[in-house]
Amino acid sequence: TSYDDCWLRYDRITADDVRASYRRQCRHAYVSEKSPECSAIRDELRQALPELLGAKPHFWQHPPTTVDGFLAIGTPDDMALIAESVPVDDVAALDDGGFLIRAVTWNGADCLVVTAPTDRGLMYGTFHLLRLLQLREPIDELEIREEPTYANRLLNQWDTPFRRSVERGYGGESIFDWERLPDLRPRYEDYARLLASVGINGIVLNNVNTTKPPRKSANDAVDAFEGWQLLESRRLEDFTGLASLFRRYGIRPYLSVNFAAPMLVGDLDTADPLDNDVREWWAAKADEIYGLVPDLGGFLIKADSEGQPGPYDYDRNHVDGANAIARALEPHGGRVWWRAFVYGSHEDRAVQAYDTFEPLDGEFSDNVTVQIKNGPIDFQPREPASTLFGAMPETDLGLEVQLTQEYTGQGVHATYHLPLWKEVFEFETRADGEATPVKSLLRGAGQGVAGVANIGEDDTWTGHYLSQANLYAFGRMAWNPDLSVETITEEWVRQTFGADEVVVETITELLRDPWEACINYETGGLGLVHMMHNGEEFLENHYYPSPEEWPGYHGASEDGIGVDRTERGSGYTAQYPAPIAERYESVETCPDELLLFFHHLPWDYELDDGTTIVQRLYDNCFDGVEEVERLRDRWHTLEGRIDERRYRHVAERFDEQVAQAERWRDVLTSYFREYSGIPDERGRVRRD
Ligand code: BDP
């Protein structure tokens, strides 16, 4: 294929001893044959093992009886080898998706067993084993037990059907060719493999904006097709093939739907959630869809936000809206993911989501999940965690993060988001007055994490080879948020770029630092947000610096900078539980990296080390650029050590990133200079 294999490259293992040992363990293979998932597992092994080992295992068509060097994959019911070598209770105790990998002796022979209570678990176990091989880990004494931490590990595609555009997508047009459905392209299967290999188990296929997108893009005029039209009967059939393709990989499809669908798709003259006809319409629509796609995960809904219709149109609230639709999905086991990303009357947008949703805690139906963006504003380079985490104990919550780099350099800058997500996961909400990090609040059966996808038709998938790491890391973190940044990153690098230690060390380090650098050159590093341009052109939007466009978000004025979100200001701090609120409320205890998110302070206010605010902003902007230059130079040391194609591609992007970072630095520092009237102590900032 012309497109990249990402981390499923399966390059030949060159170390002779390692390869020999793997070959010994995998001379024979048997995979149970009873389900679509199992046939996908077989296909994966047929491809991966010969490539990795340079030798083809014998694939048995029957369960093994007595052979050495056997890789057996199945549930205990599938074969005696497994039932007799692994305690059945150990398997039965695993959650959906969990698996065991064990080196066992059976009838005097050495065997390797991958087993699980579900076929989905077998799939994850197989990909886990293949990962170990790709990482050249010893496998002769394996004793692995894994379960996913979160039940729902969803990707949200922001693909606009038929336009084939992807809102905030920087990896080309949508990989889904809706016009040609139900025809399936081989690429869909490769996409499903990538997702399953990191444990993603749900995919929302279309954009949350199901009526006209808020921004113009180059393709906008082409077709009036809107996402809501997917619910039309003539479209729904098209979608069944795609659903079975994903089913083979344990991935449930979801649809973004429009709140006003009873009017747009149906011919009702209202979408009032309390209206009987409306309820019946949703129920009938759900029956129809589930008749075609029985394992549909459910609906994702953006309502009363950025021009999308919602319950407010009928003087109802979000509970009325979400529950009415959830009721239609309930008999089918479907779930509504209802987004908390709303804004309205408040001058400070940060207070809105909590104000709207916290009072509704406990009122949502059991099959509703409230999906909350990581921060209170909107995927900015750095924000504190949303106050809703910990504030709705009686509601199923989902955490939404962005894989696509809308505000962090798009397809050009090498901004790896895992460190950002880690900060959110570890964010201490102290919801119960004791240790309750965000990551501990999402473990229920109706909870989990959702990532806004960064995938498109480009050969690189993500527009930048290094951005593939964001997809990989999201999946791994959703599987186990306790894995360290280093572990996940190194896994990705080894699978993607091979075992050369210099390459591994360099790229692992190269991914660790760009986020902080980006915060520095795009914001000055003290918690400012939205310094970016809001242009009409797709690629300009949210990419270039333009601090004067959004003064309300960062509060620059002659007397100082930052937004007062304390009790004297917008009162946002008070939405946190007391110990957290107090920490942010006081300038003394508020951490520097969020200082100006919570406080409006004089330009010459002195930080702990005696540096003034304006000077720190200057310094951080300059540091950010230096850091990117250093990263670019580090990348250059890889020339000749990795393939030319990827080397060049990333090198060119780093050059561009340096140029853009300089532009950000110059625009921001002159802006600070102009407002503050205070020159840079080191004379680097010009006045114009
Ligand atoms: C903003 C994006 C916009 C999305 C919106 C959302 O700029 O394109 O539609 O979020 O999450 O960040 O709904």
Side-chain angles (χ1 to χ4, degrees):
T1 59
S2 65
Y3 51 84
D4 196 55
D5 293 325
C6 299
W7 55 89
L8 298 180
R9 312 181 91 75
Y10 301 135
D11 286 339
R12 177 76 36 90
I13 292 162
T14 47
D16 292 339
D17 49 339
V18 181
R19 199 177 58 237
S21 122
Y22 290 173
R23 279 194 191 180
R24 246 191 338 270
Q25 309 270 327
C26 306
R27 270 187 299 146
H28 306 274
Y30 175 76
V31 183
S32 130
E33 286 196 73
K34 63 177 189 301
S35 67
E37 283 98 331
C38 289
S39 88
I41 294 173
R42 258 176 195 261
D43 287 352
E44 197 65 31
L45 290 174
R46 276 184 209 285
Q47 177 182 342
L49 292 178
E51 286 181 22
L52 285 165
L53 311 183
K56 233 175 109 207
H58 182 99
F59 281 94
W60 291 78
Q61 309 301 317
H62 290 285
T65 43
T66 44
V67 239
D68 221 6
F70 216 107
L71 168 61
I73 302 181
T75 62
D77 290 342
D78 294 335
M79 58 191 109
L81 190 166
I82 292 181
E84 290 166 17
S85 62
V86 181
V88 187
D89 291 345
D90 290 5
V91 183
L94 292 164
D95 284 345
D96 183 17
F99 59 84
L100 301 176
I101 306 180
R102 293 215 179 143
V104 302
T105 317
W106 183 66
N107 284 351
D110 287 335
C111 304
L112 193 54
V113 166
V114 178
T115 187
T118 61
D119 294 343
R120 219 191 317 270
L122 298 178
M123 162 104 36
Y124 298 142
T126 305
F127 276 115
H128 190 100
L129 177 64
L130 289 173
R131 180 182 309 125
L132 296 178
L133 302 188
Q134 287 176 285
L135 299 176
R136 282 80 170 135
E137 295 282 341
I139 60 166
D140 27 14
E141 282 169 28
L142 284 184
E143 169 108 42
I144 291 176
R145 179 182 194 279
E146 288 264 336
E147 280 176 329
T149 302
Y150 303 120
N152 297 287
R153 307 175 297 280
L154 312 185
L155 266 194
N156 289 184
Q157 303 278 143
W158 281 2
D159 301 31
T160 302
F162 281 71
R163 285 198 186 84
R164 280 194 84 175
S165 59
V166 182
E167 187 160 347
R168 315 307 179 184
Y170 311 101
E173 55 182 2
S174 169
I175 68 166
F176 299 121
D177 191 347
W178 302 85
E179 206 76 70
R180 296 224 159 72
L181 288 179
D183 287 1
L184 300 176
R185 309 162 66 215
R187 189 158 185 176
Y188 301 162
E189 181 116 18
D190 288 322
Y191 188 32
R193 291 173 52 230
L194 287 170
L195 300 186
S197 74
V198 292
I200 285 166
N201 67 352
I203 182 169
V204 183
L205 292 163
N206 61 314
N207 193 352
V208 286
N209 292 311
T210 48
T211 47
K212 206 156 82 57
R215 300 272 153 248
K216 287 190 187 135
S217 80
N219 297 329
D220 253 17
V222 178
D223 195 314
F225 183 89
E226 306 282 7
W228 59 263
Q229 286 180 280
L230 287 178
L231 282 191
E232 291 176 342
S233 301
R234 66 192 172 108
R235 302 283 185 198
L236 283 174
E237 292 264 348
D238 288 350
F239 164 71
T240 53
L242 200 53
S244 10
L245 183 144
F246 280 114
R247 184 175 307 130
R248 194 163 177 257
Y249 288 88
I251 301 167
R252 294 176 83 175
Y254 294 68
L255 288 175
S256 288
V257 304
N258 192 290
F259 188 79
M263 300 159 77
L264 295 165
V265 183
D267 53 8
L268 303 188
D269 54 13
T270 176
D272 181 350
L274 301 191
D275 182 283
N276 249 339
D277 293 342
V278 169
R279 285 167 175 253
E280 275 167 25
W281 186 87
W282 280 112
K285 191 43 86 177
D287 292 347
E288 182 189 353
I289 303 177
Y290 279 88
L292 295 164
V293 183
D295 60 342
L296 186 89
F299 295 154
L300 174 63
I301 304 175
K302 170 175 178 176
D304 288 320
S305 171
E306 299 183 328
Q308 302 301 309
Y312 290 164
D313 296 340
Y314 307 93
D315 280 333
R316 313 294 185 197
N317 68 18
H318 287 278
V319 164
D320 300 327
N323 288 3
I325 301 176
R327 195 160 110 162
L329 300 185
E330 203 266 334
H332 309 283
R335 175 165 284 278
V336 164
W337 290 71
W338 188 269
R339 294 179 85 228
F341 181 67
V342 296
Y343 48 100
S345 52
H346 287 278
E347 201 177 312
D348 176 13
R349 198 169 140 190
V351 302
Q352 184 78 44
Y354 180 101
D355 253 26
T356 310
F357 283 90
E358 189 274 339
L360 303 177
D361 186 33
E363 293 179 40
F364 287 98
S365 300
D366 287 349
N367 63 330
V368 173
T369 305
V370 174
Q371 181 169 315
I372 305 164
K373 286 194 186 186
N374 61 272
I377 301 286
D378 192 2
F379 297 139
Q380 294 303 296
R382 176 178 261 139
E383 295 179 44
S386 165
T387 43
L388 280 173
F389 296 111
M392 299 184 70
E394 304 301 319
T395 307
D396 279 335
L397 301 184
L399 162 66
E400 178 181 318
V401 297
Q402 229 182 15
L403 281 56
T404 192
Q405 296 160 228
E406 174 177 359
Y407 294 99
T408 55
Q410 305 189 349
V412 179
H413 302 210
T415 320
Y416 181 48
H417 286 176
L418 180 60
L420 184 169
W421 302 331
K422 265 280 170 189
E423 188 172 284
V424 178
F425 267 111
E426 299 301 334
F427 184 91
E428 187 45 71
T429 67
R430 297 198 60 96
D432 302 327
E434 50 193 76
T436 22
V438 169
K439 68 178 179 187
S440 68
L441 297 167
L442 308 165
R443 289 167 172 253
Q447 301 191 305
V449 285
V452 179
N454 59 347
I455 288 297
E457 185 66 16
D458 192 82
D459 284 352
T460 63
W461 296 84
T462 50
H464 190 315
Y465 283 108
L466 297 185
S467 301
Q468 294 171 356
N470 282 330
L471 178 57
Y472 182 86
F474 171 74
R476 296 293 286 141
M477 189 197 62
W479 179 272
N480 179 2
D482 295 328
L483 290 172
S484 70
V485 172
E486 292 69 30
T487 304
I488 294 178
T489 311
E490 200 184 313
E491 278 178 16
W492 178 79
V493 177
R494 286 186 185 276
Q495 292 172 85
T496 308
F497 286 99
D500 176 342
E501 289 306 325
V502 174
V503 173
V504 172
E505 207 181 294
T506 309
I507 304 184
T508 306
E509 194 197 306
L510 261 168
L511 288 173
R512 192 190 53 207
D513 302 330
W515 174 50
E516 282 291 341
C518 174
I519 293 172
N520 282 335
Y521 61 75
E522 282 201 5
T523 71
L526 293 177
L528 298 175
V529 297
H530 258 306
M531 313 291 280
M532 55 281 292
H533 176 52
N534 186 33
E536 288 293 288
E537 285 302 316
F538 171 65
L539 286 176
E540 286 181 4
N541 199 259
H542 297 173
Y543 183 69
Y544 294 120
S546 188
E548 68 282 0
E549 274 178 55
W550 306 95
Y553 281 118
H554 51 74
S557 64
E558 267 164 36
D559 70 352
I561 183 156
V563 177
D564 186 355
R565 296 192 161 96
T566 67
E567 273 178 84
R568 290 174 312 278
S570 74
Y572 173 73
T573 48
Q575 294 181 351
Y576 288 104
I580 308 294
E582 281 159 25
R583 186 155 56 95
Y584 290 143
E585 181 74 15
S586 149
V587 195
E588 305 301 320
T589 50
C590 184
D592 277 1
E593 71 268 16
L594 290 170
L595 191 60
L596 301 178
F597 187 89
F598 288 105
H599 299 273
H600 182 83
L601 294 169
W603 291 102
D604 59 359
Y605 178 89
E606 279 185 17
L607 299 165
D608 284 349
D609 65 356
T611 318
T612 60
I613 286 209
V614 67
Q615 189 58 41
R616 178 68 71 77
L617 291 171
Y618 294 147
D619 291 347
N620 282 343
C621 288
F622 279 91
D623 284 354
V625 175
E626 273 174 34
E627 182 66 5
V628 176
E629 287 166 348
R630 191 183 67 80
L631 297 173
R632 176 199 55 193
D633 296 346
R634 288 284 280 154
W635 182 261
H636 287 165
T637 65
L638 296 178
E639 185 163 16
R641 282 190 176 264
I642 60 173
D643 55 289
E644 183 67 11
R645 183 185 158 103
R646 287 187 290 173
Y647 173 75
R648 282 265 139 258
H649 166 104
V650 175
E652 280 168 17
R653 276 169 170 67
F654 265 123
D655 286 343
E656 171 81 4
Q657 183 174 353
V658 169
Q660 293 302 335
E662 287 169 350
R663 178 174 177 178
W664 272 92
R665 175 199 64 199
D666 293 344
V667 172
L668 259 52
T669 52
S670 338
Y671 182 75
F672 299 144
R673 169 77 181 82
E674 196 179 312
Y675 264 103
S676 66
I678 303 173
D680 169 30
E681 280 167 9
R682 295 167 61 186
R684 295 160 299 186
V685 180
R686 275 172 306 140
R687 195 145 176 206
D688 47 5

